[in-house]
């Protein structure tokens, strides 16, 4: 089973991947997702687990399904 630390780390890596793929800066993602830049920064640094609203807003801004953003592959048994 995946613990919170692993979840946050995996989410962070998925977020970085999709931001790079979309060529979005932290500021641009914050604007598109209607979230504070500090919220995006916390997600990118793994400072805390984002809530459902944050995850949904980020996925919408990246034009992906929430499931894609949270595709942790082998971490989930």
């Amino acid at each position: 089973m995946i613990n919170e630390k692993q979840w946050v780390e995996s989410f962070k890596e998925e977020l970085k991947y999709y931001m790079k793929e979309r060529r979005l800066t932290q500021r641009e993602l914050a604007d598109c997702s209607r979230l504070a830049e500090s919220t995006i920064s916390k997600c990118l640094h793994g400072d805390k687990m984002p809530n459902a609203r944050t995850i949904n807003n980020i996925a919408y801004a990246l034009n992906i399904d929430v499931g894609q953003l949270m595709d942790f592959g082998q971490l989930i048994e």
Side-chain angles (χ1 to χ4, degrees):
M1 192 74 168
I2 186 171
N3 65 37
E4 183 175 333
K5 184 177 179 179
Q6 290 170 312
W7 192 97
V8 170
E9 184 66 26
S10 295
F11 180 83
K12 174 180 87 169
E13 294 306 317
E14 291 293 324
L15 178 56
K16 287 179 181 180
Y17 169 81
Y18 283 107
M19 285 178 66
K20 184 176 181 179
E21 185 177 79
R22 304 289 193 275
R23 296 181 181 173
L24 286 175
T25 65
Q26 187 173 306
R27 164 74 5 237
E28 290 168 335
L29 181 59
D31 290 343
C32 292
S33 64
R34 296 183 178 183
L35 296 168
E37 191 171 354
S38 62
T39 300
I40 302 299
S41 176
K42 288 176 184 175
C43 290
L44 288 169
H45 290 95
D47 292 339
K48 70 175 205 168
M49 181 181 280
N51 63 33
R53 178 182 160 270
T54 298
I55 295 167
N56 281 325
N57 286 20
I58 290 172
Y60 180 81
L62 293 171
N63 196 32
I64 60 173
D65 293 327
V66 171
Q68 289 176 270
L69 191 56
M70 298 180 4
D71 181 17
F72 304 152
Q74 296 178 351
L75 288 176
I76 299 174
E77 298 176 344

